Each structure stands twice: as C-alpha cells, then as structure tokens.
C-alpha cells in the first residue's frame, strides 16, 4: 500500500510538471508570432528578443545591450486572455535612470471615445542609442502580485496553470540614419 501511495504521488507530480512544460512550450518564440513589428522597413529582428511565462502581478527584467549608432524599437505583447495591458519601464543599466515608463507615457496617448484610459498603455518604444549601454526592460504583468505561500513541506506554491500566460518582447534595430548633407 505504501508503494502505491508513492506511485500515486509521483504520478501527480509528473503530471503537474507536464502541464507546466506544455504551457511553457507554447511561449517559445511567442514574440515572433504575436508582437507587432515596426512599420519601418529598415528595422531588423534582434536576437536579444525573448518570450517568457508570466503569472498575474509578476515582474521580470529583460537585459540587453544597445549598441551606439543604432535605432531600436521595443514591442511587447501578451496572450489575449489577459485584458489589461502590460506595464513596462526602459532603464539605463548603469545609472538606473528610467528612460521610459509606459504608465507616464499613457498621459500623452489619445484615448478613443468610450475606451477605458487604464487599458490604453503604449506597448512599444523607440529610441536611439548614443553610446553602447546595458538596457533593462522591467515588465510587470497586470493584476495583484502573486501571493507568497508555502505548502506543508516548505516549498512555494506552484502557480495555477490557468493564471499563466505568455509575454513577448520583440527587439528590432537598424543603423541610425545620417542626417544633413
């Protein structure tokens, strides 16, 4: 009987991991399939683009290197099952200065008639790198932060698979065009 209980427990753990793995595999290259590319035909896909699994209220950082003399377009996307937009900041990795915050930029975005202003946060940002620097994109998924909890064995609770969703960050770049004569 003891062996049967262990077998049942092992089966339950493996099936839980299988569900999380299958959901995570759906996020593979999510940014290539779902994020909007720049309208600029000269912008090219940057291999520092990534996709990841988020849970409501989760915050995560994506770090990449922006090279001098390049224009960058950063676009975020998420699965449709989450209706509220992502919040994100673009941060200088050395000085920790916030270069862009889509919550502050939302004040400059015209709101369509009848639209909820809370759901109109911009999901892209363009900039020119004047020097090579580390850039941090801090992304916060909508919703309350995940609860800190633990089960009987002191391990953190695993997120409910229904609360998991994909987030993509598409990074595009092109050489900065020379202006003037």
């Amino acid at each position: 009987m003891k062996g049967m209980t262990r077998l049942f427990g092992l089966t339950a753990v493996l099936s839980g991991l299988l569900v999380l793995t299958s959901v995570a595999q759906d996020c593979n290259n999510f940014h290539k399939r779902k994020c909007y590319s720049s309208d600029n035909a000269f912008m090219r896909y940057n291999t520092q683009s990534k996709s990841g699994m988020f849970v409501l209220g989760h915050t995560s950082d994506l770090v990449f290197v922006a090279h001098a003399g390049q224009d960058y377009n950063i676009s975020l996307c998420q699965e449709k099952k989450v209706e509220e937009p992502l919040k994100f900041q673009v941060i200088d990795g050395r000085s920790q200065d916030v270069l862009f915050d889509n919550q502050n930029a939302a004040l400059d975005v015209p709101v369509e008639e009848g639209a909820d202003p809370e759901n109109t946060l911009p999901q892209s940002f363009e900039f020119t790198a004047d020097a090579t620097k580390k850039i941090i994109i801090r992304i916060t998924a909508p919703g309350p932060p995940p609860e800190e909890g633990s089960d009987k064995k002191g391990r953190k609770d695993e997120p409910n698979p229904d609360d998991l969703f994909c987030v993509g960050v598409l990074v595009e770049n092109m050489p900065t065009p020379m202006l003037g004569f």
Side-chain angles (χ1 to χ4, degrees):
M1 192 62 156
K2 192 174 188 178
M4 187 65 113
T5 304
R6 284 186 180 171
L7 180 62
F8 177 72
L10 182 60
T11 302
V13 168
L14 288 176
S15 64
L17 288 174
L18 182 63
V19 167
L20 288 176
T21 301
S22 67
V23 172
Q25 286 176 350
D26 290 342
C27 285
N28 193 23
N29 291 320
F30 181 78
H31 59 279
K32 288 183 179 179
R33 296 188 315 266
K34 299 294 183 178
C35 290
Y36 292 110
S37 296
S38 171
D39 292 337
N40 188 330
F42 296 107
M43 284 283 182
R44 297 289 175 238
Y45 175 81
N46 187 300
T47 58
Q48 297 179 91
S49 302
K50 296 228 184 293
S51 296
M53 184 69 60
F54 274 67
V55 67
L56 295 175
H58 179 76
T59 298
S60 186
D61 290 352
L62 171 66
V63 179
F64 78 97
V65 176
H67 296 280
Q70 295 285 308
D71 289 352
Y72 287 87
N73 179 62
I74 300 168
S75 301
L76 276 70
C77 57
Q78 66 191 34
E79 283 186 289
K80 298 286 187 211
K81 70 180 182 179
V82 180
E83 294 180 11
E84 294 178 52
L86 296 166
K87 297 174 186 167
F88 77 98
Q89 296 177 321
V90 179
I91 302 167
D92 183 311
R94 181 175 294 149
S95 68
Q96 298 298 305
D97 290 339
V98 175
L99 306 173
F100 177 77
D101 185 332
N102 74 335
Q103 292 184 82
N104 294 337
L107 301 174
D108 299 332
V109 175
V111 179
E112 294 178 22
E113 192 174 320
D116 180 6
E118 289 292 315
N119 289 337
T120 58
L121 298 178
Q123 297 297 289
S124 65
F125 174 65
E126 289 189 7
F127 68 97
T128 298
D130 54 353
T132 299
K133 60 177 77 177
K134 180 171 74 171
I135 299 291
I136 301 167
I137 304 171
R138 180 158 297 142
I139 304 158
T140 302
E147 292 181 18
E148 294 291 327
S150 59
D151 61 15
K152 295 176 186 171
K153 297 182 181 174
R155 295 177 296 187
K156 287 186 177 178
D157 290 336
E158 300 220 358
N160 181 340
D162 292 338
D163 292 339
L164 296 173
F165 62 98
C166 297
V167 170
V169 180
L170 177 63
V171 179
E172 299 172 295
N173 66 295
M174 67 179 227
T176 301
M178 293 298 188
L179 301 176
F181 296 106

